[in-house]
PDB file of all heavy atoms in Angstrom:
ATOM      1  N   ARG A 165       5.019  12.600   0.661  1.00 88.00           N
ATOM      2  CA  ARG A 165       3.871  13.367   0.357  1.00 88.00           C
ATOM      3  C   ARG A 165       3.208  14.038   1.579  1.00 88.00           C
ATOM      4  O   ARG A 165       2.354  13.428   2.196  1.00 88.00           O
ATOM      5  CB  ARG A 165       2.831  12.228  -0.284  1.00 88.00           C
ATOM      6  CG  ARG A 165       1.769  13.139  -1.123  1.00 88.00           C
ATOM      7  CD  ARG A 165       0.904  12.091  -1.901  1.00 88.00           C
ATOM      8  NE  ARG A 165       0.012  11.592  -1.122  1.00 88.00           N
ATOM      9  CZ  ARG A 165      -1.045  10.723  -1.423  1.00 88.00           C
ATOM     10  NH1 ARG A 165      -1.154  10.396  -2.731  1.00 88.00           N
ATOM     11  NH2 ARG A 165      -1.976  10.248  -0.650  1.00 88.00           N
ATOM     12  N   THR A 168      -1.005  17.432  -0.105  1.00 74.00           N
ATOM     13  CA  THR A 168      -1.862  16.659  -1.113  1.00 74.00           C
ATOM     14  C   THR A 168      -2.760  17.589  -1.652  1.00 74.00           C
ATOM     15  O   THR A 168      -3.189  18.586  -1.180  1.00 74.00           O
ATOM     16  CB  THR A 168      -2.709  15.550  -0.618  1.00 74.00           C
ATOM     17  OG1 THR A 168      -3.477  15.970   0.394  1.00 74.00           O
ATOM     18  CG2 THR A 168      -1.703  14.294  -0.051  1.00 74.00           C
ATOM     19  N   HIS A 169      -3.263  17.213  -2.928  1.00 76.00           N
ATOM     20  CA  HIS A 169      -4.337  17.906  -3.622  1.00 76.00           C
ATOM     21  C   HIS A 169      -5.577  17.190  -3.452  1.00 76.00           C
ATOM     22  O   HIS A 169      -5.541  16.136  -2.641  1.00 76.00           O
ATOM     23  CB  HIS A 169      -3.921  17.951  -5.065  1.00 76.00           C
ATOM     24  CG  HIS A 169      -4.896  18.938  -5.926  1.00 76.00           C
ATOM     25  ND1 HIS A 169      -5.124  20.136  -5.631  1.00 76.00           N
ATOM     26  CD2 HIS A 169      -5.590  18.530  -6.963  1.00 76.00           C
ATOM     27  CE1 HIS A 169      -5.904  20.594  -6.537  1.00 76.00           C
ATOM     28  NE2 HIS A 169      -6.291  19.620  -7.399  1.00 76.00           N
ATOM     29  N   LYS A 170      -6.721  17.572  -4.037  1.00 79.00           N
ATOM     30  CA  LYS A 170      -8.012  16.938  -3.807  1.00 79.00           C
ATOM     31  C   LYS A 170      -7.842  15.461  -4.207  1.00 79.00           C
ATOM     32  O   LYS A 170      -7.309  15.070  -5.175  1.00 79.00           O
ATOM     33  CB  LYS A 170      -8.935  17.442  -4.863  1.00 79.00           C
ATOM     34  CG  LYS A 170      -9.431  18.966  -4.641  1.00 79.00           C
ATOM     35  CD  LYS A 170     -10.203  19.455  -5.812  1.00 79.00           C
ATOM     36  CE  LYS A 170      -9.519  20.638  -6.604  1.00 79.00           C
ATOM     37  NZ  LYS A 170     -10.097  21.023  -7.746  1.00 79.00           N
ATOM     38  N   ALA A 171      -8.596  14.626  -3.304  1.00 81.00           N
ATOM     39  CA  ALA A 171      -8.869  13.150  -3.740  1.00 81.00           C
ATOM     40  C   ALA A 171      -7.560  12.507  -4.076  1.00 81.00           C
ATOM     41  O   ALA A 171      -7.404  11.797  -5.239  1.00 81.00           O
ATOM     42  CB  ALA A 171      -9.867  12.977  -4.774  1.00 81.00           C
ATOM     43  N   PRO A 172      -6.392  12.557  -3.390  1.00 89.00           N
ATOM     44  CA  PRO A 172      -5.253  11.929  -3.734  1.00 89.00           C
ATOM     45  C   PRO A 172      -5.491  10.464  -3.685  1.00 89.00           C
ATOM     46  O   PRO A 172      -6.228   9.882  -2.797  1.00 89.00           O
ATOM     47  CB  PRO A 172      -4.091  12.418  -2.707  1.00 89.00           C
ATOM     48  CG  PRO A 172      -5.056  12.761  -1.601  1.00 89.00           C
ATOM     49  CD  PRO A 172      -6.439  13.100  -2.021  1.00 89.00           C
ATOM     50  N   ILE A 173      -4.796   9.623  -4.608  1.00 95.00           N
ATOM     51  CA  ILE A 173      -4.898   8.225  -4.563  1.00 95.00           C
ATOM     52  C   ILE A 173      -3.838   7.716  -3.492  1.00 95.00           C
ATOM     53  O   ILE A 173      -2.751   8.406  -3.342  1.00 95.00           O
ATOM     54  CB  ILE A 173      -4.608   7.644  -5.886  1.00 95.00           C
ATOM     55  CG1 ILE A 173      -5.046   6.192  -6.090  1.00 95.00           C
ATOM     56  CG2 ILE A 173      -3.125   7.800  -6.377  1.00 95.00           C
ATOM     57  CD1 ILE A 173      -5.088   5.738  -7.512  1.00 95.00           C
ATOM     58  N   LYS A 174      -3.999   6.564  -2.804  1.00 96.00           N
ATOM     59  CA  LYS A 174      -3.028   6.111  -1.952  1.00 96.00           C
ATOM     60  C   LYS A 174      -1.859   5.674  -2.740  1.00 96.00           C
ATOM     61  O   LYS A 174      -1.920   4.914  -3.825  1.00 96.00           O
ATOM     62  CB  LYS A 174      -3.549   4.870  -1.186  1.00 96.00           C
ATOM     63  CG  LYS A 174      -4.248   5.225   0.126  1.00 96.00           C
ATOM     64  CD  LYS A 174      -4.460   3.996   0.838  1.00 96.00           C
ATOM     65  CE  LYS A 174      -5.042   4.112   2.199  1.00 96.00           C
ATOM     66  NZ  LYS A 174      -5.421   2.885   2.812  1.00 96.00           N
ATOM     67  N   GLU A 175      -0.568   5.911  -2.198  1.00 97.00           N
ATOM     68  CA  GLU A 175       0.580   5.484  -2.898  1.00 97.00           C
ATOM     69  C   GLU A 175       0.615   3.968  -3.118  1.00 97.00           C
ATOM     70  O   GLU A 175       1.218   3.481  -4.231  1.00 97.00           O
ATOM     71  CB  GLU A 175       1.817   5.881  -1.961  1.00 97.00           C
ATOM     72  CG  GLU A 175       2.061   7.256  -1.724  1.00 97.00           C
ATOM     73  CD  GLU A 175       1.267   7.911  -0.575  1.00 97.00           C
ATOM     74  OE1 GLU A 175       0.187   7.321  -0.302  1.00 97.00           O
ATOM     75  OE2 GLU A 175       1.582   9.044  -0.159  1.00 97.00           O
ATOM     76  N   ALA A 178      -1.630   3.350  -6.196  1.00 98.00           N
ATOM     77  CA  ALA A 178      -0.815   3.868  -7.515  1.00 98.00           C
ATOM     78  C   ALA A 178       0.286   2.836  -7.825  1.00 98.00           C
ATOM     79  O   ALA A 178       0.439   2.554  -8.993  1.00 98.00           O
ATOM     80  CB  ALA A 178      -0.236   5.277  -7.095  1.00 98.00           C
ATOM     81  N   ASP A 195       0.291  10.728 -17.163  1.00 98.00           N
ATOM     82  CA  ASP A 195      -0.926  10.717 -16.302  1.00 98.00           C
ATOM     83  C   ASP A 195      -1.388  12.172 -16.480  1.00 98.00           C
ATOM     84  O   ASP A 195      -0.919  13.247 -16.105  1.00 98.00           O
ATOM     85  CB  ASP A 195      -0.614  10.573 -14.856  1.00 98.00           C
ATOM     86  CG  ASP A 195      -1.719  10.711 -13.984  1.00 98.00           C
ATOM     87  OD1 ASP A 195      -2.813  11.040 -14.545  1.00 98.00           O
ATOM     88  OD2 ASP A 195      -1.569  10.620 -12.742  1.00 98.00           O
ATOM     89  N   PRO A 196      -2.544  12.322 -17.359  1.00 98.00           N
ATOM     90  CA  PRO A 196      -3.135  13.595 -17.591  1.00 98.00           C
ATOM     91  C   PRO A 196      -4.011  14.285 -16.445  1.00 98.00           C
ATOM     92  O   PRO A 196      -4.579  15.225 -16.678  1.00 98.00           O
ATOM     93  CB  PRO A 196      -3.952  13.383 -18.887  1.00 98.00           C
ATOM     94  CG  PRO A 196      -4.215  11.962 -18.853  1.00 98.00           C
ATOM     95  CD  PRO A 196      -3.339  11.247 -18.001  1.00 98.00           C
ATOM     96  N   PHE A 197      -4.170  13.274 -15.511  1.00 98.00           N
ATOM     97  CA  PHE A 197      -5.013  13.863 -14.325  1.00 98.00           C
ATOM     98  C   PHE A 197      -4.253  13.657 -13.100  1.00 98.00           C
ATOM     99  O   PHE A 197      -4.588  12.944 -12.162  1.00 98.00           O
ATOM    100  CB  PHE A 197      -6.316  13.122 -14.086  1.00 98.00           C
ATOM    101  CG  PHE A 197      -7.348  13.215 -15.365  1.00 98.00           C
ATOM    102  CD1 PHE A 197      -7.392  12.256 -16.295  1.00 98.00           C
ATOM    103  CD2 PHE A 197      -8.051  14.271 -15.486  1.00 98.00           C
ATOM    104  CE1 PHE A 197      -8.178  12.305 -17.400  1.00 98.00           C
ATOM    105  CE2 PHE A 197      -9.024  14.444 -16.581  1.00 98.00           C
ATOM    106  CZ  PHE A 197      -9.060  13.476 -17.502  1.00 98.00           C
ATOM    107  N   CYS A 198      -3.053  14.231 -13.054  1.00 97.00           N
ATOM    108  CA  CYS A 198      -2.004  13.739 -11.979  1.00 97.00           C
ATOM    109  C   CYS A 198      -2.142  14.143 -10.626  1.00 97.00           C
ATOM    110  O   CYS A 198      -1.619  13.657  -9.666  1.00 97.00           O
ATOM    111  CB  CYS A 198      -0.573  14.140 -12.503  1.00 97.00           C
ATOM    112  SG  CYS A 198      -0.230  16.005 -12.285  1.00 97.00           S
ATOM    113  N   GLY A 199      -3.085  15.275 -10.299  1.00 96.00           N
ATOM    114  CA  GLY A 199      -3.210  15.754  -9.028  1.00 96.00           C
ATOM    115  C   GLY A 199      -1.976  15.892  -8.297  1.00 96.00           C
ATOM    116  O   GLY A 199      -1.029  16.657  -8.826  1.00 96.00           O
ATOM    117  N   SER A 200      -1.690  15.331  -7.093  1.00 96.00           N
ATOM    118  CA  SER A 200      -0.605  15.331  -6.301  1.00 96.00           C
ATOM    119  C   SER A 200       0.645  14.651  -6.964  1.00 96.00           C
ATOM    120  O   SER A 200       1.703  14.659  -6.267  1.00 96.00           O
ATOM    121  CB  SER A 200      -0.612  14.969  -4.870  1.00 96.00           C
ATOM    122  OG  SER A 200      -1.988  15.001  -4.427  1.00 96.00           O
ATOM    123  N   GLY A 201       0.363  13.917  -8.000  1.00 97.00           N
ATOM    124  CA  GLY A 201       1.653  13.278  -8.822  1.00 97.00           C
ATOM    125  C   GLY A 201       1.912  11.907  -8.347  1.00 97.00           C
ATOM    126  O   GLY A 201       2.979  11.430  -8.896  1.00 97.00           O
ATOM    127  N   THR A 202       1.005  11.351  -7.589  1.00 97.00           N
ATOM    128  CA  THR A 202       1.314  10.039  -7.016  1.00 97.00           C
ATOM    129  C   THR A 202       1.709   9.097  -7.928  1.00 97.00           C
ATOM    130  O   THR A 202       2.624   8.172  -7.715  1.00 97.00           O
ATOM    131  CB  THR A 202       0.178   9.538  -6.087  1.00 97.00           C
ATOM    132  OG1 THR A 202      -0.438  10.672  -5.545  1.00 97.00           O
ATOM    133  CG2 THR A 202       0.665   8.564  -5.090  1.00 97.00           C
ATOM    134  N   ILE A 203       0.923   8.790  -8.985  1.00 98.00           N
ATOM    135  CA  ILE A 203       1.173   7.704 -10.061  1.00 98.00           C
ATOM    136  C   ILE A 203       2.645   8.071 -10.639  1.00 98.00           C
ATOM    137  O   ILE A 203       3.341   7.041 -10.863  1.00 98.00           O
ATOM    138  CB  ILE A 203       0.070   7.597 -11.049  1.00 98.00           C
ATOM    139  CG1 ILE A 203      -1.149   7.238 -10.418  1.00 98.00           C
ATOM    140  CG2 ILE A 203       0.438   6.682 -12.226  1.00 98.00           C
ATOM    141  CD1 ILE A 203      -2.487   7.336 -11.309  1.00 98.00           C
ATOM    142  N   SER A 257       0.246  15.922 -16.001  1.00 98.00           N
ATOM    143  CA  SER A 257      -0.370  17.291 -16.085  1.00 98.00           C
ATOM    144  C   SER A 257      -1.757  17.124 -15.399  1.00 98.00           C
ATOM    145  O   SER A 257      -2.256  16.140 -15.071  1.00 98.00           O
ATOM    146  CB  SER A 257      -0.576  17.463 -17.636  1.00 98.00           C
ATOM    147  OG  SER A 257      -1.230  16.604 -18.311  1.00 98.00           O
ATOM    148  N   ASP A 258      -2.159  18.417 -15.100  1.00 97.00           N
ATOM    149  CA  ASP A 258      -3.397  18.499 -14.356  1.00 97.00           C
ATOM    150  C   ASP A 258      -4.009  19.962 -14.754  1.00 97.00           C
ATOM    151  O   ASP A 258      -3.145  20.879 -14.928  1.00 97.00           O
ATOM    152  CB  ASP A 258      -3.190  18.473 -12.973  1.00 97.00           C
ATOM    153  CG  ASP A 258      -4.478  18.259 -12.129  1.00 97.00           C
ATOM    154  OD1 ASP A 258      -5.321  19.151 -12.010  1.00 97.00           O
ATOM    155  OD2 ASP A 258      -4.737  17.054 -11.571  1.00 97.00           O
ATOM    156  N   ILE A 259      -5.168  20.242 -14.711  1.00 97.00           N
ATOM    157  CA  ILE A 259      -5.800  21.520 -15.001  1.00 97.00           C
ATOM    158  C   ILE A 259      -5.509  22.534 -13.858  1.00 97.00           C
ATOM    159  O   ILE A 259      -5.484  23.852 -14.175  1.00 97.00           O
ATOM    160  CB  ILE A 259      -7.384  21.413 -15.278  1.00 97.00           C
ATOM    161  CG1 ILE A 259      -7.903  22.576 -15.937  1.00 97.00           C
ATOM    162  CG2 ILE A 259      -8.052  21.252 -13.937  1.00 97.00           C
ATOM    163  CD1 ILE A 259      -9.303  22.431 -16.475  1.00 97.00           C
ATOM    164  N   ASP A 260      -5.329  21.940 -12.708  1.00 96.00           N
ATOM    165  CA  ASP A 260      -5.181  22.892 -11.550  1.00 96.00           C
ATOM    166  C   ASP A 260      -3.679  23.217 -11.298  1.00 96.00           C
ATOM    167  O   ASP A 260      -2.882  22.358 -10.960  1.00 96.00           O
ATOM    168  CB  ASP A 260      -5.717  22.066 -10.411  1.00 96.00           C
ATOM    169  CG  ASP A 260      -5.877  22.946  -9.116  1.00 96.00           C
ATOM    170  OD1 ASP A 260      -4.903  23.756  -8.839  1.00 96.00           O
ATOM    171  OD2 ASP A 260      -6.944  22.817  -8.418  1.00 96.00           O
ATOM    172  N   ALA A 263      -2.258  21.960  -7.915  1.00 96.00           N
ATOM    173  CA  ALA A 263      -1.957  20.491  -7.981  1.00 96.00           C
ATOM    174  C   ALA A 263      -0.551  20.444  -8.446  1.00 96.00           C
ATOM    175  O   ALA A 263       0.258  19.549  -7.957  1.00 96.00           O
ATOM    176  CB  ALA A 263      -2.954  19.761  -8.778  1.00 96.00           C
ATOM    177  N   LYS A 285      -2.311  21.654 -17.462  1.00 98.00           N
ATOM    178  CA  LYS A 285      -2.959  21.643 -18.687  1.00 98.00           C
ATOM    179  C   LYS A 285      -4.324  20.939 -18.538  1.00 98.00           C
ATOM    180  O   LYS A 285      -4.442  19.956 -17.804  1.00 98.00           O
ATOM    181  CB  LYS A 285      -1.980  20.737 -19.519  1.00 98.00           C
ATOM    182  CG  LYS A 285      -2.138  21.067 -21.005  1.00 98.00           C
ATOM    183  CD  LYS A 285      -1.183  20.073 -21.804  1.00 98.00           C
ATOM    184  CE  LYS A 285      -0.277  20.971 -22.629  1.00 98.00           C
ATOM    185  NZ  LYS A 285       0.696  20.099 -23.499  1.00 98.00           N
ATOM    186  N   ASP A 286      -5.191  21.408 -19.354  1.00 98.00           N
ATOM    187  CA  ASP A 286      -6.698  20.744 -19.447  1.00 98.00           C
ATOM    188  C   ASP A 286      -6.318  19.478 -20.271  1.00 98.00           C
ATOM    189  O   ASP A 286      -5.729  19.597 -21.279  1.00 98.00           O
ATOM    190  CB  ASP A 286      -7.483  21.760 -20.100  1.00 98.00           C
ATOM    191  CG  ASP A 286      -8.978  21.268 -20.003  1.00 98.00           C
ATOM    192  OD1 ASP A 286      -9.115  19.975 -20.221  1.00 98.00           O
ATOM    193  OD2 ASP A 286      -9.854  22.064 -19.821  1.00 98.00           O
ATOM    194  N   VAL A 287      -6.981  18.535 -19.884  1.00 98.00           N
ATOM    195  CA  VAL A 287      -6.843  17.207 -20.746  1.00 98.00           C
ATOM    196  C   VAL A 287      -7.139  17.337 -22.113  1.00 98.00           C
ATOM    197  O   VAL A 287      -6.631  16.777 -23.022  1.00 98.00           O
ATOM    198  CB  VAL A 287      -7.638  16.052 -19.995  1.00 98.00           C
ATOM    199  CG1 VAL A 287      -9.061  16.285 -20.121  1.00 98.00           C
ATOM    200  CG2 VAL A 287      -7.226  14.722 -20.581  1.00 98.00           C
ATOM    201  N   LYS A 288      -8.077  18.308 -22.528  1.00 97.00           N
ATOM    202  CA  LYS A 288      -8.451  18.480 -23.847  1.00 97.00           C
ATOM    203  C   LYS A 288      -7.303  19.056 -24.680  1.00 97.00           C
ATOM    204  O   LYS A 288      -7.215  19.017 -25.809  1.00 97.00           O
ATOM    205  CB  LYS A 288      -9.696  19.308 -23.958  1.00 97.00           C
ATOM    206  CG  LYS A 288      -9.697  20.805 -23.662  1.00 97.00           C
ATOM    207  CD  LYS A 288     -11.027  21.464 -23.865  1.00 97.00           C
ATOM    208  CE  LYS A 288     -10.783  22.913 -23.604  1.00 97.00           C
ATOM    209  NZ  LYS A 288     -11.713  23.400 -22.607  1.00 97.00           N
ATOM    210  N   VAL A 290      -4.041  18.020 -24.148  1.00 98.00           N
ATOM    211  CA  VAL A 290      -2.908  17.112 -23.982  1.00 98.00           C
ATOM    212  C   VAL A 290      -2.644  16.540 -25.318  1.00 98.00           C
ATOM    213  O   VAL A 290      -3.562  16.171 -26.023  1.00 98.00           O
ATOM    214  CB  VAL A 290      -3.190  16.095 -22.836  1.00 98.00           C
ATOM    215  CG1 VAL A 290      -2.189  14.995 -22.764  1.00 98.00           C
ATOM    216  CG2 VAL A 290      -3.088  16.835 -21.524  1.00 98.00           C
ATOM    217  N   THR A 301      -3.831   6.451 -15.197  1.00 98.00           N
ATOM    218  CA  THR A 301      -4.459   7.669 -14.589  1.00 98.00           C
ATOM    219  C   THR A 301      -5.639   7.406 -13.660  1.00 98.00           C
ATOM    220  O   THR A 301      -6.264   6.245 -13.793  1.00 98.00           O
ATOM    221  CB  THR A 301      -4.886   8.675 -15.667  1.00 98.00           C
ATOM    222  OG1 THR A 301      -5.142   9.943 -15.135  1.00 98.00           O
ATOM    223  CG2 THR A 301      -6.131   8.204 -16.508  1.00 98.00           C
ATOM    224  N   ASN A 302      -5.997   8.348 -12.856  1.00 97.00           N
ATOM    225  CA  ASN A 302      -7.054   8.319 -11.951  1.00 97.00           C
ATOM    226  C   ASN A 302      -7.736   9.635 -11.893  1.00 97.00           C
ATOM    227  O   ASN A 302      -7.551  10.624 -11.245  1.00 97.00           O
ATOM    228  CB  ASN A 302      -6.314   8.124 -10.464  1.00 97.00           C
ATOM    229  CG  ASN A 302      -7.114   8.661  -9.236  1.00 97.00           C
ATOM    230  OD1 ASN A 302      -6.638   9.426  -8.453  1.00 97.00           O
ATOM    231  ND2 ASN A 302      -8.307   8.253  -9.188  1.00 97.00           N
ATOM    232  N   PRO A 303      -8.778   9.618 -12.935  1.00 96.00           N
ATOM    233  CA  PRO A 303      -9.470  10.838 -13.301  1.00 96.00           C
ATOM    234  C   PRO A 303     -10.428  10.999 -12.199  1.00 96.00           C
ATOM    235  O   PRO A 303     -10.734  10.161 -11.335  1.00 96.00           O
ATOM    236  CB  PRO A 303     -10.120  10.469 -14.633  1.00 96.00           C
ATOM    237  CG  PRO A 303     -10.265   9.092 -14.668  1.00 96.00           C
ATOM    238  CD  PRO A 303      -9.104   8.618 -13.785  1.00 96.00           C
ATOM    239  N   PRO A 304     -11.090  12.332 -12.170  1.00 93.00           N
ATOM    240  CA  PRO A 304     -12.133  12.522 -11.125  1.00 93.00           C
ATOM    241  C   PRO A 304     -13.294  11.476 -11.213  1.00 93.00           C
ATOM    242  O   PRO A 304     -13.670  11.133 -12.384  1.00 93.00           O
ATOM    243  CB  PRO A 304     -12.626  13.872 -11.520  1.00 93.00           C
ATOM    244  CG  PRO A 304     -11.587  14.613 -12.265  1.00 93.00           C
ATOM    245  CD  PRO A 304     -10.926  13.469 -13.128  1.00 93.00           C
ATOM    246  N   TYR A 305     -13.889  11.226 -10.101  1.00 83.00           N
ATOM    247  CA  TYR A 305     -15.097  10.305 -10.131  1.00 83.00           C
ATOM    248  C   TYR A 305     -16.107  11.323  -9.759  1.00 83.00           C
ATOM    249  O   TYR A 305     -15.982  12.157  -8.852  1.00 83.00           O
ATOM    250  CB  TYR A 305     -15.160   9.277  -9.041  1.00 83.00           C
ATOM    251  CG  TYR A 305     -13.981   8.258  -8.980  1.00 83.00           C
ATOM    252  CD1 TYR A 305     -13.935   7.401  -7.840  1.00 83.00           C
ATOM    253  CD2 TYR A 305     -12.977   8.258  -9.941  1.00 83.00           C
ATOM    254  CE1 TYR A 305     -12.978   6.451  -7.768  1.00 83.00           C
ATOM    255  CE2 TYR A 305     -12.024   7.324  -9.779  1.00 83.00           C
ATOM    256  CZ  TYR A 305     -11.935   6.495  -8.772  1.00 83.00           C
ATOM    257  OH  TYR A 305     -11.006   5.487  -8.584  1.00 83.00           O
ATOM    258  N   ARG A 308     -16.829  12.102  -5.964  1.00 56.00           N
ATOM    259  CA  ARG A 308     -15.809  12.763  -5.152  1.00 56.00           C
ATOM    260  C   ARG A 308     -15.479  14.113  -5.619  1.00 56.00           C
ATOM    261  O   ARG A 308     -15.129  15.153  -4.786  1.00 56.00           O
ATOM    262  CB  ARG A 308     -14.557  11.889  -5.359  1.00 56.00           C
ATOM    263  CG  ARG A 308     -14.575  10.644  -4.536  1.00 56.00           C
ATOM    264  CD  ARG A 308     -13.392   9.863  -4.560  1.00 56.00           C
ATOM    265  NE  ARG A 308     -12.441  10.169  -3.389  1.00 56.00           N
ATOM    266  CZ  ARG A 308     -11.250   9.575  -3.247  1.00 56.00           C
ATOM    267  NH1 ARG A 308     -10.767   8.697  -4.056  1.00 56.00           N
ATOM    268  NH2 ARG A 308     -10.548   9.906  -2.236  1.00 56.00           N
ATOM    269  N   LEU A 309     -15.461  14.443  -6.861  1.00 59.00           N
ATOM    270  CA  LEU A 309     -14.955  15.801  -7.332  1.00 59.00           C
ATOM    271  C   LEU A 309     -15.895  16.599  -8.205  1.00 59.00           C
ATOM    272  O   LEU A 309     -16.237  17.818  -7.854  1.00 59.00           O
ATOM    273  CB  LEU A 309     -13.629  15.692  -8.025  1.00 59.00           C
ATOM    274  CG  LEU A 309     -12.551  15.088  -7.217  1.00 59.00           C
ATOM    275  CD1 LEU A 309     -11.269  15.045  -8.060  1.00 59.00           C
ATOM    276  CD2 LEU A 309     -12.076  15.987  -5.963  1.00 59.00           C
ATOM    277  N   LEU A 310     -16.456  16.076  -9.288  1.00 68.00           N
ATOM    278  CA  LEU A 310     -17.174  16.896 -10.202  1.00 68.00           C
ATOM    279  C   LEU A 310     -18.575  16.306 -10.400  1.00 68.00           C
ATOM    280  O   LEU A 310     -18.827  15.226  -9.992  1.00 68.00           O
ATOM    281  CB  LEU A 310     -16.485  17.067 -11.589  1.00 68.00           C
ATOM    282  CG  LEU A 310     -15.106  17.504 -11.670  1.00 68.00           C
ATOM    283  CD1 LEU A 310     -14.447  17.273 -12.971  1.00 68.00           C
ATOM    284  CD2 LEU A 310     -14.947  18.946 -11.275  1.00 68.00           C
ATOM    285  N   GLU A 314     -19.741  16.735 -16.069  1.00 90.00           N
ATOM    286  CA  GLU A 314     -18.335  17.163 -16.283  1.00 90.00           C
ATOM    287  C   GLU A 314     -17.416  15.954 -16.361  1.00 90.00           C
ATOM    288  O   GLU A 314     -16.493  15.854 -17.203  1.00 90.00           O
ATOM    289  CB  GLU A 314     -18.042  18.006 -15.135  1.00 90.00           C
ATOM    290  CG  GLU A 314     -18.652  19.328 -14.994  1.00 90.00           C
ATOM    291  CD  GLU A 314     -18.307  20.201 -13.818  1.00 90.00           C
ATOM    292  OE1 GLU A 314     -18.783  19.706 -12.732  1.00 90.00           O
ATOM    293  OE2 GLU A 314     -17.530  21.238 -13.923  1.00 90.00           O
ATOM    294  N   LEU A 318     -14.907  14.531 -19.391  1.00 96.00           N
ATOM    295  CA  LEU A 318     -13.518  14.236 -19.250  1.00 96.00           C
ATOM    296  C   LEU A 318     -13.082  12.743 -19.806  1.00 96.00           C
ATOM    297  O   LEU A 318     -12.138  12.667 -20.535  1.00 96.00           O
ATOM    298  CB  LEU A 318     -13.162  14.221 -17.748  1.00 96.00           C
ATOM    299  CG  LEU A 318     -13.180  15.617 -17.148  1.00 96.00           C
ATOM    300  CD1 LEU A 318     -12.739  15.482 -15.677  1.00 96.00           C
ATOM    301  CD2 LEU A 318     -12.390  16.662 -17.883  1.00 96.00           C
ATOM    302  N   ASN A 359     -10.695   2.134  -4.201  1.00 92.00           N
ATOM    303  CA  ASN A 359      -9.935   3.370  -4.019  1.00 92.00           C
ATOM    304  C   ASN A 359     -10.436   3.952  -2.754  1.00 92.00           C
ATOM    305  O   ASN A 359     -11.524   4.556  -2.693  1.00 92.00           O
ATOM    306  CB  ASN A 359     -10.175   4.269  -5.197  1.00 92.00           C
ATOM    307  CG  ASN A 359      -9.246   5.508  -5.114  1.00 92.00           C
ATOM    308  OD1 ASN A 359      -8.457   5.614  -4.166  1.00 92.00           O
ATOM    309  ND2 ASN A 359      -9.505   6.402  -6.071  1.00 92.00           N
TER     310      ASN A 359
HETATM  311  C1  SAM B  24      -8.658  11.984  -8.490  1.00 65.51           C
HETATM  312  S1  SAM B  24      -7.949  13.474  -8.802  1.00 65.51           S
HETATM  313  C2  SAM B  24      -6.262  12.652  -9.104  1.00 65.51           C
HETATM  314  C3  SAM B  24      -5.583  12.391  -7.853  1.00 65.51           C
HETATM  315  C4  SAM B  24      -4.006  11.897  -8.179  1.00 65.51           C
HETATM  316  N1  SAM B  24      -4.053  10.617  -8.648  1.00 65.51           N
HETATM  317  C5  SAM B  24      -3.302  12.168  -6.824  1.00 65.51           C
HETATM  318  O1  SAM B  24      -2.806  11.112  -6.390  1.00 65.51           O
HETATM  319  O2  SAM B  24      -3.322  13.149  -6.165  1.00 65.51           O
HETATM  320  C6  SAM B  24      -8.327  13.982 -10.296  1.00 65.51           C
HETATM  321  C7  SAM B  24      -7.673  15.076 -10.818  1.00 65.51           C
HETATM  322  O3  SAM B  24      -8.102  15.604 -12.045  1.00 65.51           O
HETATM  323  C8  SAM B  24      -7.911  16.933 -12.249  1.00 65.51           C
HETATM  324  N2  SAM B  24      -8.799  17.499 -13.279  1.00 65.51           N
HETATM  325  C9  SAM B  24     -10.155  17.798 -13.216  1.00 65.51           C
HETATM  326  N3  SAM B  24     -10.503  18.327 -14.533  1.00 65.51           N
HETATM  327  C10 SAM B  24      -9.474  18.190 -15.376  1.00 65.51           C
HETATM  328  C11 SAM B  24      -9.211  18.542 -16.605  1.00 65.51           C
HETATM  329  N4  SAM B  24     -10.237  19.146 -17.478  1.00 65.51           N
HETATM  330  N5  SAM B  24      -8.037  18.440 -17.105  1.00 65.51           N
HETATM  331  C12 SAM B  24      -6.934  17.872 -16.516  1.00 65.51           C
HETATM  332  N6  SAM B  24      -7.144  17.581 -15.092  1.00 65.51           N
HETATM  333  C13 SAM B  24      -8.266  17.768 -14.610  1.00 65.51           C
HETATM  334  C14 SAM B  24      -8.279  17.472 -10.831  1.00 65.51           C
HETATM  335  O4  SAM B  24      -7.611  18.826 -10.676  1.00 65.51           O
HETATM  336  C15 SAM B  24      -7.686  16.398  -9.940  1.00 65.51           C
HETATM  337  O5  SAM B  24      -6.388  16.837  -9.525  1.00 65.51           O
END
Side-chain angles (χ1 to χ4, degrees):
R165 204 174 74 176
T168 55
H169 186 56
K170 294 171 248 176
I173 197 168
K174 270 194 184 174
E175 294 83 339
D195 178 0
F197 299 99
C198 74
S200 336
T202 320
I203 294 171
S257 51
D258 196 287
I259 196 167
D260 189 320
K285 207 177 239 188
D286 190 319
V287 66
K288 66 178 188 242
V290 169
T301 196
N302 161 222
Y305 304 174
R308 290 182 90 178
L309 293 178
L310 304 172
E314 286 175 293
L318 297 178
N359 185 2

